[in-house]
């Protein structure tokens, strides 16, 4: 789940509420009575609650509360983009990124370039999958297998700058430095992020500049770090440098505690440079150095001819969708959305994505007044959705061939993803699957709940959207979700 640096987010809710909270126990043991108590508490403080529950088999509405009100969907919009790309490409689709050699080989010396044709694979070089983490090693092994012992040239990504995706429409400028806002560039490597770690030795003056370490070690990132010892609590915040590459970071380090370390994951502007450095490092590990361009080399006996070297293959789309929704990965959602747009319109742009998603929603019978997506991840403040629209996306997906893959991608309460830390009981364990969404003042949940023992409605699809929330709300959003979800599992629906 993303974090917003420029505004306070909702605090993780304790299970026990303060004494000032009105009693939210249901007047009777039904879902409507429970929901009425929860939503009355929220709306008495100026918050806004919207909810919609339908039978997963028939679509019959079982509970409604302001289901037509449009709010920011935040990351629950990922359900829309992932369901759409699954519908277009199927769960077994894999990205295939071709790498070729453009040059000549003379006595173990390769003269030319290693060229990549990007296909928009968001997982290329990612540490999340064994098959993607070793992308540079696969390239180096393929060169070594060709008998190459030295090379002079460059690693090039063809057309890497032809399509620029810096920030999506409606993204906040001060999100830009962070990994959750990494640009969905046409070529992605290592999820377009690096790790920045700050440290100071025990006993060091808290006001002195810390030691800075960037991971991976071949990455280049300009980071200017300032220290504030007058802060009330330790934090590390970074923003893009204006007029140049790199970031400026402020490490708030209260003198009384003087923290020894801090870390943050940051977005990079040029993933192709990161990939080139990675390939060069992998070749050096195999004893294949890159010769300086100034060094005289023998004249090649044959003209340069492009030759396939290796194809870097992603995990299946079902696995990419799973990490997208369970971990709420914005970059994956944007790239999958743009790939869906290319499949449906022939173009990769946010305009094409809006067109493709609008047509896909119309195919499902979901009107534009219920869902207005403008990006793939939900980072945009221009997105609008109703609880009714979000529910319809999951309901229609469950009736299609890829439905099991989408359902499997949703976090399971108390078990994994963004719901791993949510409390469960013997009744609710393993029975609540939901995508979460968080923006300042907004919390959303959409998913599927199983109801054991209810032969009439054994499974329901629901959406719960909470707007105008703040950290002082007596009933925190997570607590409202936990109680509503438990009611969906255990209480009569009417």
């Amino acid at each position: 789940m993303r974090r917003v640096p420029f505004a306070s987010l909702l605090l993780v809710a304790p299970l026990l509420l303060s004494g000032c909270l009105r009693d939210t126990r249901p007047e009777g043991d039904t879902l409507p009575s429970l929901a009425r108590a929860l939503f009355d508490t929220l709306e008495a403080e100026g918050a806004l609650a919207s909810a919609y529950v339908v039978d997963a088999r028939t679509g019959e509405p079982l509970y409604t509360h302001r289901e037509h009100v449009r709010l920011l969907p935040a990351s629950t919009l990922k359900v829309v983009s992932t369901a759409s790309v699954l519908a277009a490409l199927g769960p077994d689709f894999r990205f295939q990124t071709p790498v070729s050699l453009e040059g000549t080989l003379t006595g173990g010396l390769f003269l030319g370039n290693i060229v990549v044709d990007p296909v928009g694979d968001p997982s290329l070089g990612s540490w999340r999958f064994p098959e993607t983490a070793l992308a540079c090693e696969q390239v180096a092994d393929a060169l070594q297998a060709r008998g190459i012992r030295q090379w002079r040239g460059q690693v090039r990504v063809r057309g890497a700058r032809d399509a620029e995706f810096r920030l999506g429409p409606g993204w906040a400028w001060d999100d830009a430095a962070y990994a959750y806002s990494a640009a969905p560039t046409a070529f992605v490597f290592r999820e377009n992020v690096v790790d920045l770690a700050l440290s100071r030795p025990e006993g060091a003056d808290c006001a002195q500049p810390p030691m800075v370490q960037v991971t991976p070690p071949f990455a280049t990132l300009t980071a200017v770090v300032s220290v504030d010892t007058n802060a009330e609590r330790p934090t590390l915040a970074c923003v893009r440098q204006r007029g140049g590459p790199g970031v400026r970071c402020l490490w708030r380090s209260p003198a009384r505690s003087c923290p020894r370390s801090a870390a943050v994951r940051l977005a990079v502007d040029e993933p192709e440079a990161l990939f080139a450095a990675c390939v060069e490092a992998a070749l050096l590990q195999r004893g294949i150095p890159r010769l300086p361009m100034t060094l005289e080399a023998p004249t090649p006996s044959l003209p340069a001819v492009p030759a396939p070297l290796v194809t870097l293959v992603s995990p299946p789309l079902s696995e990419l969708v799973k990490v997208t929704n369970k971990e709420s990965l914005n970059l994956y959602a944007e790239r999958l959305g743009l790939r869906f747009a290319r499949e449906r319109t022939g173009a990769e742009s946010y305009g094409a994505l809006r067109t493709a998603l609008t047509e896909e929603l119309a195919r499902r019978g979901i009107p534009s007044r219920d869902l207005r997506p403008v990006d793939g991840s939900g980072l945009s403040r221009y997105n609008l959705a109703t609880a009714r629209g979000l529910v319809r996306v999951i309901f229609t997906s469950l009736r299609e061939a890829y439905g099991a893959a989408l359902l499997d991608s949703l976090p399971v309460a108390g078990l994994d993803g963004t719901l791993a830390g949510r409390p469960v009981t013997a009744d609710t364990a393993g029975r609540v699957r939901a995508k979460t969404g968080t923006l300042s003042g907004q919390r959303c949940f959409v998913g599927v709940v199983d109801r054991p023992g209810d032969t009439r409605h054994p499974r329901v699809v629901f959406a719960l959207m909470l707007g105008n929330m703040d950290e002082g709300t007596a009933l925190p959003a997570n607590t409202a979700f936990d109680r509503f979800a438990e009611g969906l599992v255990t209480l009569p629906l009417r």
Side-chain angles (χ1 to χ4, degrees), residues 187-220:
F187 175 75
V188 173
F189 180 69
R190 204 180 177 272
E191 301 185 4
N192 290 0
V193 302
V194 297
D195 297 294
L196 179 73
L198 308 180
S199 62
R200 53 169 64 98
E202 195 70 36
D205 186 345
C206 215
Q208 293 300 310
M211 294 181 288
V212 178
Q213 181 179 2
V214 177
T215 304
F218 50 77
T220 58

mmCIF file of all heavy atoms in Angstrom, residues 187-220:
data_model
loop_
_atom_site.group_PDB
_atom_site.id
_atom_site.type_symbol
_atom_site.label_atom_id
_atom_site.label_comp_id
_atom_site.label_asym_id
_atom_site.label_seq_id
_atom_site.Cartn_x
_atom_site.Cartn_y
_atom_site.Cartn_z
ATOM 1 N N PHE A 187 10.824 1.068 -21.070
ATOM 2 C CA PHE A 187 11.759 0.039 -20.608
ATOM 3 C C PHE A 187 11.859 0.147 -19.100
ATOM 4 O O PHE A 187 12.163 1.217 -18.552
ATOM 5 C CB PHE A 187 13.136 0.228 -21.240
ATOM 6 C CG PHE A 187 14.173 -0.730 -20.718
ATOM 7 C CD1 PHE A 187 14.176 -2.056 -21.110
ATOM 8 C CD2 PHE A 187 15.141 -0.306 -19.810
ATOM 9 C CE1 PHE A 187 15.127 -2.946 -20.625
ATOM 10 C CE2 PHE A 187 16.095 -1.187 -19.326
ATOM 11 C CZ PHE A 187 16.097 -2.506 -19.735
ATOM 12 N N VAL A 188 11.580 -0.952 -18.423
ATOM 13 C CA VAL A 188 11.653 -1.011 -16.964
ATOM 14 C C VAL A 188 12.762 -1.965 -16.579
ATOM 15 O O VAL A 188 12.891 -3.055 -17.158
ATOM 16 C CB VAL A 188 10.313 -1.495 -16.369
ATOM 17 C CG1 VAL A 188 10.429 -1.712 -14.863
ATOM 18 C CG2 VAL A 188 9.198 -0.502 -16.682
ATOM 19 N N PHE A 189 13.573 -1.568 -15.596
ATOM 20 C CA PHE A 189 14.578 -2.491 -15.065
ATOM 21 C C PHE A 189 14.642 -2.322 -13.557
ATOM 22 O O PHE A 189 14.709 -1.219 -13.033
ATOM 23 C CB PHE A 189 15.957 -2.235 -15.671
ATOM 24 C CG PHE A 189 17.009 -3.173 -15.126
ATOM 25 C CD1 PHE A 189 16.966 -4.523 -15.442
ATOM 26 C CD2 PHE A 189 17.999 -2.720 -14.270
ATOM 27 C CE1 PHE A 189 17.907 -5.403 -14.927
ATOM 28 C CE2 PHE A 189 18.951 -3.591 -13.757
ATOM 29 C CZ PHE A 189 18.903 -4.932 -14.088
ATOM 30 N N ARG A 190 14.621 -3.474 -12.879
ATOM 31 C CA ARG A 190 14.662 -3.514 -11.407
ATOM 32 C C ARG A 190 13.580 -2.623 -10.805
ATOM 33 O O ARG A 190 13.796 -1.962 -9.797
ATOM 34 C CB ARG A 190 16.046 -3.115 -10.897
ATOM 35 C CG ARG A 190 16.386 -3.636 -9.520
ATOM 36 C CD ARG A 190 17.759 -3.223 -9.043
ATOM 37 N NE ARG A 190 17.982 -3.707 -7.686
ATOM 38 C CZ ARG A 190 17.635 -3.026 -6.579
ATOM 39 N NH1 ARG A 190 17.068 -1.852 -6.692
ATOM 40 N NH2 ARG A 190 17.874 -3.536 -5.390
ATOM 41 N N GLU A 191 12.439 -2.628 -11.471
ATOM 42 C CA GLU A 191 11.284 -1.851 -11.044
ATOM 43 C C GLU A 191 11.584 -0.357 -10.965
ATOM 44 O O GLU A 191 10.896 0.400 -10.269
ATOM 45 C CB GLU A 191 10.719 -2.381 -9.722
ATOM 46 C CG GLU A 191 10.293 -3.840 -9.839
ATOM 47 C CD GLU A 191 9.610 -4.410 -8.615
ATOM 48 O OE1 GLU A 191 9.368 -3.656 -7.645
ATOM 49 O OE2 GLU A 191 9.309 -5.619 -8.620
ATOM 50 N N ASN A 192 12.621 0.075 -11.683
ATOM 51 C CA ASN A 192 13.002 1.489 -11.769
ATOM 52 C C ASN A 192 13.297 2.102 -10.401
ATOM 53 O O ASN A 192 12.997 3.278 -10.156
ATOM 54 C CB ASN A 192 11.929 2.292 -12.487
ATOM 55 C CG ASN A 192 11.853 1.987 -13.973
ATOM 56 O OD1 ASN A 192 12.616 1.171 -14.480
ATOM 57 N ND2 ASN A 192 10.954 2.633 -14.671
ATOM 58 N N VAL A 193 13.901 1.299 -9.514
ATOM 59 C CA VAL A 193 14.196 1.811 -8.182
ATOM 60 C C VAL A 193 15.586 1.380 -7.734
ATOM 61 O O VAL A 193 16.150 0.384 -8.219
ATOM 62 C CB VAL A 193 13.175 1.331 -7.123
ATOM 63 C CG1 VAL A 193 11.763 1.753 -7.506
ATOM 64 C CG2 VAL A 193 13.251 -0.164 -6.916
ATOM 65 N N VAL A 194 16.135 2.155 -6.797
ATOM 66 C CA VAL A 194 17.349 1.801 -6.074
ATOM 67 C C VAL A 194 17.081 2.035 -4.591
ATOM 68 O O VAL A 194 16.130 2.727 -4.223
ATOM 69 C CB VAL A 194 18.572 2.626 -6.530
ATOM 70 C CG1 VAL A 194 18.885 2.356 -7.986
ATOM 71 C CG2 VAL A 194 18.353 4.115 -6.294
ATOM 72 N N ASP A 195 17.920 1.459 -3.754
ATOM 73 C CA ASP A 195 17.773 1.609 -2.307
ATOM 74 C C ASP A 195 18.844 2.544 -1.770
ATOM 75 O O ASP A 195 20.033 2.382 -2.076
ATOM 76 C CB ASP A 195 17.886 0.244 -1.624
ATOM 77 C CG ASP A 195 16.770 -0.694 -2.037
ATOM 78 O OD1 ASP A 195 15.619 -0.393 -1.703
ATOM 79 O OD2 ASP A 195 17.049 -1.700 -2.714
ATOM 80 N N LEU A 196 18.410 3.510 -0.970
ATOM 81 C CA LEU A 196 19.323 4.460 -0.334
ATOM 82 C C LEU A 196 19.341 4.176 1.157
ATOM 83 O O LEU A 196 18.292 4.157 1.806
ATOM 84 C CB LEU A 196 18.858 5.893 -0.596
ATOM 85 C CG LEU A 196 19.701 7.003 0.032
ATOM 86 C CD1 LEU A 196 21.027 7.137 -0.710
ATOM 87 C CD2 LEU A 196 18.947 8.327 0.008
ATOM 88 N N ALA A 197 20.546 3.934 1.701
ATOM 89 C CA ALA A 197 20.699 3.655 3.130
ATOM 90 C C ALA A 197 21.629 4.696 3.750
ATOM 91 O O ALA A 197 22.699 4.993 3.205
ATOM 92 C CB ALA A 197 21.261 2.254 3.354
ATOM 93 N N LEU A 198 21.223 5.258 4.873
ATOM 94 C CA LEU A 198 22.026 6.223 5.623
ATOM 95 C C LEU A 198 22.429 5.584 6.948
ATOM 96 O O LEU A 198 21.657 4.851 7.560
ATOM 97 C CB LEU A 198 21.230 7.499 5.896
ATOM 98 C CG LEU A 198 20.563 8.180 4.700
ATOM 99 C CD1 LEU A 198 19.829 9.432 5.160
ATOM 100 C CD2 LEU A 198 21.586 8.516 3.632
ATOM 101 N N SER A 199 23.646 5.881 7.377
ATOM 102 C CA SER A 199 24.114 5.324 8.650
ATOM 103 C C SER A 199 25.143 6.262 9.267
ATOM 104 O O SER A 199 25.801 7.044 8.578
ATOM 105 C CB SER A 199 24.726 3.930 8.449
ATOM 106 O OG SER A 199 25.859 3.998 7.603
ATOM 107 N N ARG A 200 25.273 6.166 10.577
ATOM 108 C CA ARG A 200 26.322 6.903 11.307
ATOM 109 C C ARG A 200 26.868 5.979 12.391
ATOM 110 O O ARG A 200 26.106 5.216 13.014
ATOM 111 C CB ARG A 200 25.780 8.198 11.916
ATOM 112 C CG ARG A 200 24.567 8.041 12.777
ATOM 113 C CD ARG A 200 24.256 9.331 13.559
ATOM 114 N NE ARG A 200 23.908 10.454 12.721
ATOM 115 C CZ ARG A 200 22.659 10.841 12.457
ATOM 116 N NH1 ARG A 200 21.647 10.140 12.958
ATOM 117 N NH2 ARG A 200 22.400 11.888 11.721
ATOM 118 N N PRO A 201 28.176 5.994 12.624
ATOM 119 C CA PRO A 201 28.764 5.126 13.653
ATOM 120 C C PRO A 201 28.251 5.489 15.040
ATOM 121 O O PRO A 201 27.840 6.623 15.288
ATOM 122 C CB PRO A 201 30.273 5.396 13.526
ATOM 123 C CG PRO A 201 30.453 6.061 12.207
ATOM 124 C CD PRO A 201 29.184 6.781 11.921
ATOM 125 N N GLU A 202 28.270 4.510 15.925
ATOM 126 C CA GLU A 202 27.887 4.749 17.309
ATOM 127 C C GLU A 202 28.787 5.832 17.898
ATOM 128 O O GLU A 202 30.014 5.799 17.763
ATOM 129 C CB GLU A 202 28.026 3.458 18.119
ATOM 130 C CG GLU A 202 27.328 3.500 19.465
ATOM 131 C CD GLU A 202 25.822 3.498 19.321
ATOM 132 O OE1 GLU A 202 25.310 2.838 18.404
ATOM 133 O OE2 GLU A 202 25.170 4.164 20.146
ATOM 134 N N GLY A 203 28.166 6.828 18.517
ATOM 135 C CA GLY A 203 28.930 7.904 19.138
ATOM 136 C C GLY A 203 29.230 9.077 18.226
ATOM 137 O O GLY A 203 29.761 10.091 18.669
ATOM 138 N N ALA A 204 28.878 8.956 16.945
ATOM 139 C CA ALA A 204 29.136 10.051 16.006
ATOM 140 C C ALA A 204 28.207 11.219 16.292
ATOM 141 O O ALA A 204 27.099 11.046 16.799
ATOM 142 C CB ALA A 204 28.946 9.572 14.573
ATOM 143 N N ASP A 205 28.687 12.424 15.973
ATOM 144 C CA ASP A 205 27.899 13.634 16.160
ATOM 145 C C ASP A 205 26.648 13.553 15.282
ATOM 146 O O ASP A 205 26.736 13.340 14.070
ATOM 147 C CB ASP A 205 28.733 14.854 15.773
ATOM 148 C CG ASP A 205 28.011 16.168 16.081
ATOM 149 O OD1 ASP A 205 26.788 16.130 16.314
ATOM 150 O OD2 ASP A 205 28.659 17.230 16.061
ATOM 151 N N CYS A 206 25.493 13.745 15.888
ATOM 152 C CA CYS A 206 24.241 13.589 15.159
ATOM 153 C C CYS A 206 24.081 14.621 14.043
ATOM 154 O O CYS A 206 23.358 14.393 13.077
ATOM 155 C CB CYS A 206 23.076 13.725 16.139
ATOM 156 S SG CYS A 206 21.689 12.655 15.744
ATOM 157 N N ALA A 207 24.737 15.762 14.166
ATOM 158 C CA ALA A 207 24.577 16.824 13.169
ATOM 159 C C ALA A 207 25.471 16.624 11.953
ATOM 160 O O ALA A 207 25.304 17.314 10.950
ATOM 161 C CB ALA A 207 24.873 18.179 13.807
ATOM 162 N N GLN A 208 26.417 15.688 12.026
ATOM 163 C CA GLN A 208 27.335 15.476 10.914
ATOM 164 C C GLN A 208 26.653 14.703 9.784
ATOM 165 O O GLN A 208 25.760 13.898 10.021
ATOM 166 C CB GLN A 208 28.575 14.702 11.384
ATOM 167 C CG GLN A 208 29.447 15.491 12.355
ATOM 168 C CD GLN A 208 29.957 16.778 11.729
ATOM 169 O OE1 GLN A 208 30.498 16.770 10.625
ATOM 170 N NE2 GLN A 208 29.763 17.887 12.434
ATOM 171 N N PRO A 209 27.075 14.937 8.538
ATOM 172 C CA PRO A 209 26.498 14.190 7.412
ATOM 173 C C PRO A 209 26.710 12.690 7.596
ATOM 174 O O PRO A 209 27.789 12.254 8.016
ATOM 175 C CB PRO A 209 27.271 14.720 6.201
ATOM 176 C CG PRO A 209 27.778 16.062 6.621
ATOM 177 C CD PRO A 209 28.049 15.952 8.093
ATOM 178 N N PRO A 210 25.711 11.894 7.280
ATOM 179 C CA PRO A 210 25.836 10.443 7.458
ATOM 180 C C PRO A 210 26.572 9.796 6.292
ATOM 181 O O PRO A 210 26.799 10.425 5.252
ATOM 182 C CB PRO A 210 24.383 9.976 7.489
ATOM 183 C CG PRO A 210 23.691 10.955 6.574
ATOM 184 C CD PRO A 210 24.371 12.275 6.798
ATOM 185 N N MET A 211 26.934 8.541 6.466
ATOM 186 C CA MET A 211 27.443 7.745 5.355
ATOM 187 C C MET A 211 26.267 7.326 4.482
ATOM 188 O O MET A 211 25.196 6.991 4.988
ATOM 189 C CB MET A 211 28.187 6.511 5.879
ATOM 190 C CG MET A 211 29.467 6.846 6.632
ATOM 191 S SD MET A 211 30.349 5.366 7.210
ATOM 192 C CE MET A 211 29.256 4.832 8.516
ATOM 193 N N VAL A 212 26.479 7.353 3.169
ATOM 194 C CA VAL A 212 25.420 7.071 2.209
ATOM 195 C C VAL A 212 25.796 5.845 1.385
ATOM 196 O O VAL A 212 26.899 5.763 0.850
ATOM 197 C CB VAL A 212 25.173 8.270 1.273
ATOM 198 C CG1 VAL A 212 24.088 7.941 0.248
ATOM 199 C CG2 VAL A 212 24.800 9.507 2.072
ATOM 200 N N GLN A 213 24.903 4.888 1.289
ATOM 201 C CA GLN A 213 25.135 3.691 0.485
ATOM 202 C C GLN A 213 23.948 3.467 -0.446
ATOM 203 O O GLN A 213 22.798 3.531 -0.028
ATOM 204 C CB GLN A 213 25.328 2.455 1.358
ATOM 205 C CG GLN A 213 25.599 1.181 0.571
ATOM 206 C CD GLN A 213 25.815 -0.030 1.456
ATOM 207 O OE1 GLN A 213 25.729 0.066 2.676
ATOM 208 N NE2 GLN A 213 26.093 -1.163 0.848
ATOM 209 N N VAL A 214 24.260 3.217 -1.714
ATOM 210 C CA VAL A 214 23.228 2.958 -2.717
ATOM 211 C C VAL A 214 23.314 1.501 -3.145
ATOM 212 O O VAL A 214 24.402 0.970 -3.380
ATOM 213 C CB VAL A 214 23.400 3.883 -3.937
ATOM 214 C CG1 VAL A 214 22.363 3.550 -5.007
ATOM 215 C CG2 VAL A 214 23.267 5.346 -3.523
ATOM 216 N N THR A 215 22.179 0.834 -3.227
ATOM 217 C CA THR A 215 22.086 -0.554 -3.681
ATOM 218 C C THR A 215 21.128 -0.612 -4.852
ATOM 219 O O THR A 215 20.058 -0.007 -4.800
ATOM 220 C CB THR A 215 21.576 -1.460 -2.551
ATOM 221 O OG1 THR A 215 22.425 -1.326 -1.415
ATOM 222 C CG2 THR A 215 21.554 -2.914 -2.985
ATOM 223 N N PRO A 216 21.518 -1.330 -5.929
ATOM 224 C CA PRO A 216 22.706 -2.156 -6.135
ATOM 225 C C PRO A 216 23.969 -1.313 -6.274
ATOM 226 O O PRO A 216 23.895 -0.132 -6.624
ATOM 227 C CB PRO A 216 22.382 -2.910 -7.430
ATOM 228 C CG PRO A 216 21.453 -2.006 -8.159
ATOM 229 C CD PRO A 216 20.626 -1.353 -7.123
ATOM 230 N N PRO A 217 25.133 -1.920 -6.041
ATOM 231 C CA PRO A 217 26.374 -1.149 -6.014
ATOM 232 C C PRO A 217 26.744 -0.523 -7.348
ATOM 233 O O PRO A 217 27.493 0.456 -7.370
ATOM 234 C CB PRO A 217 27.425 -2.189 -5.572
ATOM 235 C CG PRO A 217 26.799 -3.527 -5.850
ATOM 236 C CD PRO A 217 25.344 -3.339 -5.678
ATOM 237 N N PHE A 218 26.243 -1.046 -8.454
ATOM 238 C CA PHE A 218 26.572 -0.469 -9.761
ATOM 239 C C PHE A 218 25.679 0.728 -10.102
ATOM 240 O O PHE A 218 25.868 1.365 -11.136
ATOM 241 C CB PHE A 218 26.471 -1.517 -10.868
ATOM 242 C CG PHE A 218 25.188 -2.296 -10.882
ATOM 243 C CD1 PHE A 218 24.014 -1.736 -11.375
ATOM 244 C CD2 PHE A 218 25.151 -3.590 -10.403
ATOM 245 C CE1 PHE A 218 22.835 -2.449 -11.383
ATOM 246 C CE2 PHE A 218 23.962 -4.318 -10.410
ATOM 247 C CZ PHE A 218 22.800 -3.743 -10.903
ATOM 248 N N ALA A 219 24.702 1.034 -9.247
ATOM 249 C CA ALA A 219 23.798 2.147 -9.523
ATOM 250 C C ALA A 219 24.487 3.473 -9.261
ATOM 251 O O ALA A 219 25.354 3.591 -8.385
ATOM 252 C CB ALA A 219 22.548 2.028 -8.660
ATOM 253 N N THR A 220 24.118 4.466 -10.029
ATOM 254 C CA THR A 220 24.599 5.825 -9.803
ATOM 255 C C THR A 220 23.406 6.693 -9.459
ATOM 256 O O THR A 220 22.439 6.772 -10.200
ATOM 257 C CB THR A 220 25.304 6.381 -11.055
ATOM 258 O OG1 THR A 220 24.400 6.354 -12.152
ATOM 259 C CG2 THR A 220 26.544 5.555 -11.381
#
